[in-house]
Amino acid sequence: MDDPILTMQEREAINSGRWFNTLSPSLRHDILRCAFVRRFQDGDLIAARGDPPTEWSAVSKGAVRVSSTSLAGKQVTLTYVEPGVWFGEIAMFDGERRTHDAYAHGPTSLLCVARKDFQKILAQHIELYEALLRLQARRIRNLFGLVEDLNTLPLRARLAKQLLHLSRSYGVPCLANASETRIGLQLAQEELAQMLGASRQRVNQELKAMEREQAIRIEPGGLVVCDRSALLRIAAAEH
Protein backbone atom coordinates (compact mmCIF):
# COMPACT_ATOMS: atom_id res chain seq x y z
CA MET A 1 0.00 0.00 0.00
CA ASP A 2 1.28 3.47 -0.82
CA ASP A 3 2.66 5.51 2.04
CA PRO A 4 0.33 8.56 2.01
CA ILE A 5 2.96 10.85 3.53
CA LEU A 6 5.87 12.46 1.72
CA THR A 7 9.28 12.08 3.33
CA MET A 8 11.16 15.26 4.23
CA GLN A 9 13.36 14.87 1.14
CA GLU A 10 10.34 14.35 -1.10
CA ARG A 11 8.54 17.36 0.32
CA GLU A 12 11.66 19.45 -0.21
CA ALA A 13 11.82 18.32 -3.84
CA ILE A 14 8.23 19.46 -4.38
CA ASN A 15 8.53 22.76 -2.51
CA SER A 16 11.80 23.71 -4.19
CA GLY A 17 10.51 23.01 -7.69
CA ARG A 18 11.22 25.95 -9.97
CA TRP A 19 7.56 26.37 -10.96
CA PHE A 20 5.79 25.32 -7.76
CA ASN A 21 7.69 27.69 -5.48
CA THR A 22 6.47 30.70 -7.51
CA LEU A 23 2.85 30.00 -6.53
CA SER A 24 1.15 31.84 -3.68
CA PRO A 25 1.18 30.11 -0.27
CA SER A 26 -2.60 29.63 -0.34
CA LEU A 27 -2.50 27.95 -3.76
CA ARG A 28 0.39 25.69 -2.75
CA HIS A 29 -1.52 24.79 0.43
CA ASP A 30 -4.68 23.84 -1.46
CA ILE A 31 -2.75 21.73 -3.98
CA LEU A 32 -0.90 19.84 -1.24
CA ARG A 33 -4.04 19.48 0.87
CA CYS A 34 -5.87 17.39 -1.73
CA ALA A 35 -2.83 15.58 -3.18
CA PHE A 36 -2.00 11.94 -2.57
CA VAL A 37 1.20 9.90 -2.94
CA ARG A 38 1.82 7.03 -5.35
CA ARG A 39 4.99 4.94 -5.15
CA PHE A 40 6.54 2.76 -7.85
CA GLN A 41 9.43 0.37 -8.29
CA ASP A 42 11.90 0.61 -11.16
CA GLY A 43 10.22 -0.18 -14.46
CA ASP A 44 6.64 0.01 -13.19
CA LEU A 45 4.13 1.37 -15.70
CA ILE A 46 2.69 4.65 -14.41
CA ALA A 47 0.44 5.49 -17.35
CA ALA A 48 -0.04 3.96 -20.79
CA ARG A 49 -0.70 5.62 -24.10
CA GLY A 50 -4.47 5.73 -24.58
CA ASP A 51 -5.27 5.90 -20.86
CA PRO A 52 -7.91 8.47 -19.88
CA PRO A 53 -6.59 11.47 -17.90
CA THR A 54 -7.23 10.89 -14.23
CA GLU A 55 -4.64 12.94 -12.37
CA TRP A 56 -2.07 15.72 -12.44
CA SER A 57 1.27 14.72 -10.97
CA ALA A 58 4.67 15.90 -9.76
CA VAL A 59 7.76 13.77 -9.30
CA SER A 60 8.88 13.84 -5.67
CA LYS A 61 11.55 11.13 -5.94
CA GLY A 62 13.27 9.27 -8.76
CA ALA A 63 12.30 9.96 -12.37
CA VAL A 64 9.56 9.27 -14.88
CA ARG A 65 10.68 7.92 -18.24
CA VAL A 66 8.40 9.10 -21.05
CA SER A 67 8.50 6.87 -24.11
CA SER A 68 6.72 5.91 -27.30
CA THR A 69 6.73 2.82 -29.48
CA SER A 70 8.00 2.93 -33.06
CA LEU A 71 6.21 1.35 -36.01
CA ALA A 72 8.66 -1.53 -35.71
CA GLY A 73 7.57 -2.09 -32.12
CA LYS A 74 10.71 -0.67 -30.50
CA GLN A 75 10.30 1.43 -27.36
CA VAL A 76 11.98 4.83 -27.69
CA THR A 77 12.80 7.06 -24.71
CA LEU A 78 11.84 10.70 -25.30
CA THR A 79 12.63 12.39 -21.99
CA TYR A 80 12.84 12.04 -18.23
CA VAL A 81 10.72 14.00 -15.78
CA GLU A 82 12.81 15.00 -12.78
CA PRO A 83 11.93 15.66 -9.12
CA GLY A 84 9.98 18.87 -8.57
CA VAL A 85 8.47 18.89 -12.06
CA TRP A 86 4.70 18.67 -12.60
CA PHE A 87 3.25 16.94 -15.66
CA GLY A 88 -0.06 15.84 -17.16
CA GLU A 89 -1.86 19.18 -17.00
CA ILE A 90 -2.61 19.33 -20.74
CA ALA A 91 -4.80 16.23 -20.50
CA MET A 92 -6.51 17.79 -17.49
CA PHE A 93 -7.66 20.63 -19.74
CA ASP A 94 -8.60 18.93 -22.99
CA GLY A 95 -9.70 15.56 -21.58
CA GLU A 96 -7.90 13.69 -24.37
CA ARG A 97 -6.24 10.34 -23.71
CA ARG A 98 -2.57 10.04 -22.83
CA THR A 99 -0.25 10.30 -25.83
CA HIS A 100 2.80 8.49 -24.40
CA ASP A 101 3.78 5.75 -21.99
CA ALA A 102 5.27 6.69 -18.63
CA TYR A 103 7.45 4.37 -16.54
CA ALA A 104 9.22 4.68 -13.19
CA HIS A 105 12.99 4.99 -13.61
CA GLY A 106 14.40 3.73 -10.34
CA PRO A 107 12.32 3.83 -7.13
CA THR A 108 9.93 6.68 -7.85
CA SER A 109 7.23 8.54 -5.97
CA LEU A 110 4.63 10.92 -7.36
CA LEU A 111 2.46 13.53 -5.70
CA CYS A 112 -0.88 13.36 -7.51
CA VAL A 113 -4.03 15.49 -7.74
CA ALA A 114 -7.21 13.85 -9.03
CA ARG A 115 -8.85 15.54 -12.00
CA LYS A 116 -11.96 16.57 -10.05
CA ASP A 117 -9.78 18.20 -7.38
CA PHE A 118 -7.66 19.87 -10.07
CA GLN A 119 -10.82 21.44 -11.51
CA LYS A 120 -11.93 22.61 -8.07
CA ILE A 121 -8.57 24.29 -7.45
CA LEU A 122 -8.80 26.02 -10.84
CA ALA A 123 -12.24 27.36 -9.91
CA GLN A 124 -10.96 28.68 -6.57
CA HIS A 125 -7.59 30.04 -7.75
CA ILE A 126 -7.58 31.98 -11.01
CA GLU A 127 -3.85 32.38 -10.35
CA LEU A 128 -3.36 28.74 -11.39
CA TYR A 129 -4.49 29.47 -14.97
CA GLU A 130 -1.77 32.08 -15.45
CA ALA A 131 0.82 29.91 -13.69
CA LEU A 132 0.05 26.96 -15.97
CA LEU A 133 0.23 29.22 -19.03
CA ARG A 134 3.71 30.30 -17.92
CA LEU A 135 4.67 26.67 -17.44
CA GLN A 136 3.47 25.73 -20.92
CA ALA A 137 5.20 28.77 -22.46
CA ARG A 138 8.50 27.68 -20.88
CA ARG A 139 8.04 24.14 -22.21
CA ILE A 140 7.25 25.39 -25.70
CA ARG A 141 10.40 27.55 -25.66
CA ASN A 142 12.43 24.54 -24.54
CA LEU A 143 10.86 22.41 -27.27
CA PHE A 144 11.74 24.95 -29.95
CA GLY A 145 15.27 25.06 -28.54
CA LEU A 146 15.56 21.28 -28.81
CA VAL A 147 14.29 21.31 -32.38
CA GLU A 148 16.75 24.07 -33.27
CA ASP A 149 19.64 22.17 -31.67
CA LEU A 150 18.68 18.98 -33.50
CA ASN A 151 18.77 20.80 -36.84
CA THR A 152 21.76 23.09 -36.30
CA LEU A 153 24.18 21.50 -33.83
CA PRO A 154 26.41 18.47 -34.30
CA LEU A 155 25.97 15.52 -31.97
CA ARG A 156 29.03 16.47 -29.91
CA ALA A 157 27.50 19.81 -28.87
CA ARG A 158 24.06 18.34 -28.24
CA LEU A 159 25.57 15.61 -26.08
CA ALA A 160 27.53 18.17 -24.05
CA LYS A 161 24.37 20.21 -23.48
CA GLN A 162 22.46 17.09 -22.43
CA LEU A 163 25.18 16.09 -19.95
CA LEU A 164 25.15 19.59 -18.46
CA HIS A 165 21.36 19.39 -18.07
CA LEU A 166 21.58 15.97 -16.42
CA SER A 167 24.29 17.15 -14.04
CA ARG A 168 22.12 20.10 -12.98
CA SER A 169 19.03 17.95 -12.51
CA TYR A 170 20.56 14.79 -11.08
CA GLY A 171 24.07 15.80 -10.06
CA VAL A 172 25.58 14.43 -6.85
CA PRO A 173 28.98 15.74 -5.64
CA CYS A 174 31.63 13.02 -5.65
CA LEU A 175 32.94 12.19 -2.18
CA ALA A 176 36.52 11.79 -3.37
CA ASN A 177 36.54 15.08 -5.31
CA ALA A 178 33.96 17.78 -4.60
CA SER A 179 34.72 19.49 -7.92
CA GLU A 180 33.35 16.46 -9.79
CA THR A 181 29.67 15.68 -10.20
CA ARG A 182 28.20 12.24 -10.63
CA ILE A 183 25.02 12.04 -12.71
CA GLY A 184 22.65 10.20 -10.39
CA LEU A 185 20.21 9.20 -13.14
CA GLN A 186 21.31 5.77 -14.36
CA LEU A 187 21.05 5.85 -18.14
CA ALA A 188 22.03 3.20 -20.65
CA GLN A 189 23.90 4.66 -23.62
CA GLU A 190 21.02 3.47 -25.82
CA GLU A 191 18.59 5.64 -23.82
CA LEU A 192 20.91 8.64 -24.02
CA ALA A 193 21.23 8.11 -27.77
CA GLN A 194 17.44 7.98 -28.21
CA MET A 195 17.06 11.32 -26.44
CA LEU A 196 19.59 12.84 -28.85
CA GLY A 197 18.24 11.26 -32.03
CA ALA A 198 21.50 9.41 -32.65
CA SER A 199 22.86 5.87 -32.68
CA ARG A 200 24.35 4.30 -29.56
CA GLN A 201 27.65 3.76 -31.42
CA ARG A 202 28.03 7.47 -32.26
CA VAL A 203 27.15 8.54 -28.71
CA ASN A 204 29.67 6.04 -27.35
CA GLN A 205 32.36 7.50 -29.63
CA GLU A 206 31.63 11.06 -28.47
CA LEU A 207 31.59 10.04 -24.80
CA LYS A 208 35.00 8.37 -25.16
CA ALA A 209 36.35 11.49 -26.88
CA MET A 210 35.10 13.67 -24.00
CA GLU A 211 36.68 11.25 -21.55
CA ARG A 212 40.04 11.55 -23.34
CA GLU A 213 39.68 15.33 -23.00
CA GLN A 214 39.03 14.79 -19.25
CA ALA A 215 35.65 16.54 -19.42
CA ILE A 216 33.87 13.42 -18.16
CA ARG A 217 34.66 9.99 -16.78
CA ILE A 218 32.81 6.82 -17.76
CA GLU A 219 32.32 4.44 -14.85
CA PRO A 220 30.38 1.15 -14.54
CA GLY A 221 27.80 2.96 -12.39
CA GLY A 222 27.31 5.86 -14.78
CA LEU A 223 28.88 9.15 -15.87
CA VAL A 224 30.90 11.67 -13.86
CA VAL A 225 31.32 15.28 -14.98
CA CYS A 226 34.94 16.12 -14.23
CA ASP A 227 35.17 19.53 -15.88
CA ARG A 228 31.91 21.44 -16.31
CA SER A 229 33.73 24.33 -18.00
CA ALA A 230 35.05 21.97 -20.66
CA LEU A 231 31.52 20.76 -21.41
CA LEU A 232 30.34 24.37 -21.64
CA ARG A 233 33.12 25.10 -24.14
CA ILE A 234 32.18 22.07 -26.23
CA ALA A 235 28.53 23.12 -26.30
CA ALA A 236 29.34 26.75 -27.11
CA ALA A 237 32.10 26.13 -29.65
CA GLU A 238 29.79 24.32 -32.03
CA HIS A 239 27.27 27.18 -32.42
Side-chain angles (χ1 to χ4, degrees):
M1 185 175 179
D2 291 342
D3 183 347
I5 304 299
L6 292 174
T7 67
M8 289 182 62
Q9 292 81 5
E10 291 168 345
R11 183 173 288 273
E12 174 60 24
I14 295 295
N15 287 329
S16 61
R18 179 182 173 187
W19 175 79
F20 190 72
N21 67 16
T22 65
L23 305 180
S24 68
S26 62
L27 176 52
R28 293 200 304 269
H29 173 270
D30 283 356
I31 291 173
L32 295 174
R33 181 172 55 85
C34 64
F36 57 95
V37 179
R38 295 179 65 195
R39 300 188 184 281
F40 303 88
Q41 297 302 310
D42 181 43
D44 285 352
L45 177 65
I46 296 172
R49 180 174 184 171
D51 282 351
T54 57
E55 56 201 36
W56 178 45
S57 305
V59 180
S60 54
K61 175 187 175 183
V64 173
R65 177 169 59 86
V66 180
S67 66
S68 65
T69 303
S70 70
L71 293 176
K74 180 181 178 181
Q75 195 173 85
V76 178
T77 298
L78 302 175
T79 190
Y80 290 86
V81 185
E82 63 200 61
V85 174
W86 291 79
F87 65 98
E89 63 278 351
I90 292 178
M92 294 291 97
F93 282 116
D94 65 17
E96 297 292 330
R97 294 180 178 272
R98 301 293 187 185
T99 56
H100 298 89
D101 299 320
Y103 293 88
H105 190 80
T108 298
S109 60
L110 302 182
L111 187 67
C112 305
V113 177
R115 190 178 183 196
K116 60 180 176 57
D117 291 321
F118 176 82
Q119 292 170 336
K120 288 179 183 177
I121 296 170
L122 277 175
Q124 295 166 359
H125 295 271
I126 301 301
E127 169 197 353
L128 184 55
Y129 280 101
E130 183 178 348
L132 288 171
L133 281 173
R134 290 198 306 271
L135 180 62
Q136 290 309 308
R138 182 188 305 157
R139 287 177 176 165
I140 291 171
R141 287 179 184 273
N142 289 339
L143 178 60
F144 278 126
L146 289 172
V147 172
E148 181 180 6
D149 287 351
L150 188 61
N151 285 280
T152 62
L153 295 182
L155 175 60
R156 175 177 166 84
R158 288 188 282 121
L159 177 57
K161 292 182 73 171
Q162 184 64 60
L163 294 177
L164 287 166
H165 169 73
L166 291 171
S167 68
R168 285 192 300 269
S169 301
Y170 296 98
V172 179
C174 292
L175 295 177
N177 187 344
S179 66
E180 296 182 344
T181 303
R182 181 180 304 280
I183 296 175
L185 185 68
Q186 301 298 309
L187 288 181
Q189 288 189 9
E190 178 68 24
E191 292 172 318
L192 187 57
Q194 289 171 6
M195 295 168 65
L196 294 165
S199 68
R200 185 194 63 78
Q201 292 79 6
R202 287 193 61 206
V203 167
N204 179 260
Q205 291 172 359
E206 296 294 350
L207 288 172
K208 288 182 176 178
M210 291 180 185
E211 186 173 41
R212 289 193 296 271
E213 297 165 21
Q214 299 184 336
I216 65 169
R217 186 168 64 253
I218 304 171
E219 296 184 347
L223 297 173
V224 175
V225 175
C226 304
D227 189 342
R228 185 173 180 273
S229 297
L231 285 180
L232 286 169
R233 287 194 296 272
I234 292 171
E238 305 294 346
H239 279 279

